[in-house]
Amino acid sequence: MKRTLLVLNTAVAVGSAVSAVIGALHPTFVLATETEPSAGLQMYAQAYAARAVPLAVGLVHLLRREHRALVPVLAVAGVAQLGDLYIGVDRGVTGMAVGATLAAVTHLGTAWWLTRRTVAPSLGSAG
């Protein structure tokens, strides 16, 4: 179970960061549109990447070690994904909505699972 959660959380964190970088570089690719991105869309995509990349890097770092900050960072990452889910649904971006749903469920579910354990939160020493 721990190894599965480690792999799932790492995968969705890295996937979020990669998607953010692609979106910042090519917003029309992520949104599946042919039109030239507006200045507002370009700024939003860059702001999204500025949040998603460091959050993913920090989360992946914490996932690999025993640290009391893991549960709060998983919760923050999960809540951020809920925001992305809302935006994806509101804007009709199916890939964003689906990816954010998977990431939110993974991060928040793992945070919940870790709070049910009696030892310090850790996924790093998978068993």
Side-chain angles (χ1 to χ4, degrees), residues 17-46:
V18 167
S19 176
V21 170
I22 292 170
L25 297 174
H26 304 287
T28 56
F29 178 75
V30 174
L31 297 176
T33 181
E34 303 271 333
T35 62
E36 191 66 26
S38 67
L41 175 61
Q42 190 69 40
M43 189 274 314
Y44 167 77
Q46 292 167 352

Side-chain angles (χ1 to χ4, degrees), residues 20-125:
V21 170
I22 292 170
L25 297 174
H26 304 287
T28 56
F29 178 75
V30 174
L31 297 176
T33 181
E34 303 271 333
T35 62
E36 191 66 26
S38 67
L41 175 61
Q42 190 69 40
M43 189 274 314
Y44 167 77
Q46 292 167 352
Y48 175 78
R51 185 250 327 154
V53 172
L55 182 57
V57 169
L59 180 55
V60 169
H61 174 72
L62 288 175
L63 285 166
R64 303 206 178 285
R65 33 187 320 202
E66 188 170 314
H67 199 282
R68 65 178 181 229
L70 179 57
V71 169
V73 172
L74 280 165
V76 168
V79 171
Q81 291 297 336
L82 289 176
D84 292 344
L85 167 61
Y86 173 79
I87 293 167
V89 169
D90 185 58
R91 298 294 177 184
V93 183
T94 304
M96 183 180 190
V98 171
T101 299
L102 294 173
V105 167
T106 300
H107 293 326
L108 294 173
T110 301
W112 174 84
W113 183 78
L114 287 170
T115 63
R116 312 308 298 163
R117 301 177 46 84
T118 57
V119 295
S122 172
L123 294 175
S125 55

